[in-house]
Amino acid sequence: IAILSEVVRQKLPCGDEQAALEKIATTARRTIDGMSELVWYVSPKHDAVGDLIDRVQDFAGEPLRLKDIALDVECHASAKDVKLAPEVRKELFLIIKEALNNAVRHAQCSSISIGVNTAGRRLAIDMRDDGCGISAETKHNGHGLENMRKRTENLGGDFSLDSARGTGTRLLIQIPLSFQLKR
């Protein structure tokens, strides 16, 4: 659908039909991306933390490159092979994805680091940027921070955000290795 609508769009003169075909092509591409993400979430081939980190790097590559933001990811050997249930993998990916989107859109940073480690019986994900930070006075129009907090709590974990205007932001997510989703 995406390819055929693009071919037809290119053959038409400018106008409403061309705009409608562009919308069809865009919708089809988004559907493909969504299905790809869904297949990744449920695939047992990608059940380790290392697979999650690979997926994060694939997702983040283009947006960070376009904004000239460096990404440094360190996944400690103790965490790399930790197995994740599909629901847990999905929730963690969405938390990290939201944090990266926030940094790209709002932080005005030049670098982001992600550290993944096990600490005791917990998986820790430590994300930092060197951007402008978030102050208590900052008006938050979206629900991203609250959604990240709720997702972490649904995994039985702890969510902490440390930031101030001009000092960058640190997000620390810690979840138990005995994952129990709360619904």
Side-chain angles (χ1 to χ4, degrees), residues 2 21 26 36 40 45 51 57-58 72 98 102 107 128-129 135 148 157 163 166:
L21 285 169
T26 300
S36 174
W40 181 83
K45 294 187 314 187
D51 298 316
Q57 289 178 296
D58 289 345
D72 177 41
E98 181 69 36
N102 286 348
R128 300 169 190 240
D129 71 55
S135 69
M148 288 187 286
S163 184

Side-chain angles (χ1 to χ4, degrees), residues 130-146:
D130 63 355
C132 62
I134 303 169
S135 69
E137 298 82 38
T138 303
K139 183 178 180 191
H140 305 289
N141 294 328
H143 302 285
L145 290 174
E146 187 57 33

Side-chain angles (χ1 to χ4, degrees), residues 24-37:
I24 291 169
T26 300
T27 302
R29 282 191 292 278
R30 285 185 183 151
T31 302
I32 291 167
D33 290 344
M35 288 302 297
S36 174
E37 209 163 273

Side-chain angles (χ1 to χ4, degrees), residues 75-116:
C75 186
H76 193 271
S78 66
K80 201 169 201 104
D81 294 324
V82 170
K83 302 296 184 197
L84 300 171
E87 304 87 11
V88 174
R89 191 170 62 239
K90 175 185 175 191
E91 293 296 308
L92 287 175
F93 179 73
L94 291 173
I95 293 166
I96 296 168
K97 184 177 176 181
E98 181 69 36
L100 288 169
N101 281 330
N102 286 348
V104 168
R105 291 176 60 207
H106 306 294
Q108 302 168 6
C109 62
S110 60
S111 69
I112 298 171
S113 67
I114 302 174
V116 183

Side-chain angles (χ1 to χ4, degrees), residues 7-55:
V7 169
V8 172
R9 186 188 68 78
Q10 290 175 0
K11 291 182 178 187
L12 288 176
C14 290
D16 291 341
E17 294 87 3
Q18 199 175 41
L21 285 169
E22 176 61 28
K23 188 172 182 177
I24 291 169
T26 300
T27 302
R29 282 191 292 278
R30 285 185 183 151
T31 302
I32 291 167
D33 290 344
M35 288 302 297
S36 174
E37 209 163 273
L38 179 63
V39 168
W40 181 83
Y41 289 147
V42 298
S43 173
K45 294 187 314 187
H46 307 291
D47 65 351
V49 170
D51 298 316
L52 171 66
I53 296 307
D54 291 344
R55 180 73 176 185

